[in-house]
Amino acid sequence: MRFVSDGTALLDWNIKGAPGGVGKAGVNQLKQRQYAQADNLSNQSADASKRGSITIAYANKTTVPAVPSDVSSESAYQQWYRASTAYIGDERKDYTADDRPCDYEHCQFFGSLKAGSYKLVCEAYVDVDHYPWVLRTHDNQNPYIALLTEDDQVLVKKSMNQSYAPTVADPLFNGYNTTTTKFYHEEYPFTVSADTSVGFISKIYPYYNGNVFTRFQIVSSDVEAKPFTNTTYGISGVTCWEPYKLTLPLTISCGGQSTTVTFDLGTEPLGENDTISFTTTHITIPTYSGANTITADTDIQPSEMYIKYIGI
């Protein structure tokens, strides 16, 4: 959009979405949405003796800083998922049932990737009174994580051996030590040669008295993890965690000057019947004195944009 302004902020504005959804994915390309549980494909096993706790959302766990430079906002960035020891009535079962097959349809999280190089980032925080032993799955598979394409091609799959206590030899918990380490960060690189839809599935469970909190993301291969230390909880490590989110970046330019205003869309793109506006966001859009151009840094452009300004 091009217009001539006197250099004051827009008096009003309104942007309408488009078919396919307007929005730009942030650093994290993996949408944090759980697979819908069903009786035959979850912890709700028909056999009561085989029921257990599938990984569940635990959004408010505020123990590990996600952004090393801003610990105060960590609760908004955690998005931890918890696996805990299963209970049936008053009796604890030291195993967890999960009948989901390792395929795209039954993944917990999903993402859409463009051709390029990426890495799957896995982080875990262990909150236990005893060794956080990780147990085999109900169908006797090793506990594992897997990243799959929509046609079930495996991009990343890492598993743990059948012994209960993880060791430094385990590819999933590489370098993890049950007696000294409460936080771990692991990266698994991969590439896709074309636009690809992916799904992520995890089967990670604790044994005995404890909880394992995990979180996962897909980022570009050039995103670097940074060190942090949390003195309150006595842990340290590296992290590059960010929540999955979509934004609408608008750039206002005039001559050699430019500025960008970014609108947070949350986890859903701006569809053809969706709008954002000054009224809903209370965000002003600045202008320069002279001929201004507004551009949207998104693959799918908004279908409409209304602005109100003082012209010259």
Side-chain angles (χ1 to χ4, degrees):
M1 174 175 282
R2 294 180 175 85
F3 62 99
V4 177
S5 173
D6 69 349
T8 59
L10 295 181
L11 299 176
D12 196 12
W13 59 269
N14 184 290
I15 300 172
K16 186 176 181 180
V22 175
K24 182 177 182 179
V27 170
N28 186 357
Q29 304 292 302
L30 189 64
K31 188 173 183 180
Q32 301 295 297
R33 181 172 65 85
Q34 282 195 286
Y35 167 70
Q37 298 179 14
D39 285 346
N40 63 335
L41 293 169
S42 75
N43 60 317
Q44 302 300 316
S45 173
D47 183 346
S49 68
K50 297 178 181 178
R51 291 178 187 164
S53 299
I54 198 170
T55 306
I56 59 174
Y58 199 69
N60 298 320
K61 184 70 176 177
T62 56
T63 54
V64 182
V67 184
S69 62
D70 188 8
V71 177
S72 63
S73 65
E74 63 178 342
S75 61
Y77 286 80
Q78 293 307 299
Q79 297 189 16
W80 290 104
Y81 287 81
R82 179 181 65 184
S84 60
T85 308
Y87 282 80
I88 299 174
D90 294 328
E91 181 183 2
R92 185 182 69 241
K93 297 294 182 180
D94 291 333
Y95 54 80
T96 301
D98 184 350
D99 301 326
R100 289 174 301 155
C102 184
D103 59 30
Y104 178 83
E105 179 184 357
H106 300 113
C107 286
Q108 292 158 281
F109 311 117
F110 300 89
S112 298
L113 305 178
K114 296 184 177 298
S117 297
Y118 300 90
K119 54 189 176 183
L120 172 66
V121 178
C122 305
E123 295 186 340
Y125 173 75
V126 182
D127 179 16
V128 296
D129 295 323
H130 301 278
Y131 290 138
W133 293 343
V134 177
L135 191 66
R136 70 194 68 179
T137 58
H138 166 59
D139 52 2
N140 284 326
Q141 299 178 42
N142 296 343
Y144 67 85
I145 58 171
L147 182 68
L148 312 166
T149 65
E150 60 184 334
D151 57 355
D152 289 330
Q153 298 298 307
V154 176
L155 295 173
V156 177
K157 188 172 183 180
K158 299 293 179 180
S159 61
M160 179 172 290
N161 63 40
Q162 286 282 12
S163 64
Y164 289 123
T167 69
V168 293
D170 288 320
L172 180 57
F173 282 77
N174 185 29
Y176 186 85
N177 184 300
T178 56
T179 61
T180 60
T181 305
K182 289 187 176 182
F183 178 83
Y184 90 99
H185 169 104
E186 204 67 54
E187 301 179 359
Y188 305 109
F190 67 95
T191 60
V192 292
S193 58
D195 291 359
T196 305
S197 294
V198 299
F200 176 82
I201 187 171
S202 70
K203 291 187 176 183
I204 301 177
Y205 308 107
Y207 171 79
Y208 202 53
N209 187 17
N211 290 298
V212 176
F213 299 91
T214 56
R215 59 186 181 187
F216 312 97
Q217 66 175 342
I218 294 174
V219 297
S220 175
S221 59
D222 59 1
V223 173
E224 295 184 6
K226 297 181 179 180
F228 74 89
T229 297
N230 187 316
T231 55
T232 301
Y233 294 94
I235 56 176
S236 61
V238 296
T239 183
C240 58
W241 177 260
E242 286 197 17
Y244 175 87
K245 66 178 180 180
L246 294 170
T247 61
L248 174 56
L250 292 183
T251 298
I252 303 92
S253 58
C254 177
Q257 306 175 94
S258 68
T259 188
T260 299
V261 179
T262 301
F263 303 98
D264 188 349
L265 301 178
T267 60
E268 299 298 330
L270 203 62
E272 62 179 321
N273 296 317
D274 301 326
T275 61
I276 58 172
S277 65
F278 175 72
T279 301
T280 58
T281 66
H282 305 292
I283 296 175
T284 59
I285 297 178
T287 72
Y288 297 99
S289 179
N292 288 253
T293 301
I294 296 181
T295 56
D297 182 17
T298 56
D299 292 333
I300 298 177
Q301 294 292 294
S303 59
E304 296 178 11
M305 183 172 183
Y306 157 81
I307 63 172
K308 184 177 181 181
Y309 65 99
I310 298 176
I312 57 175

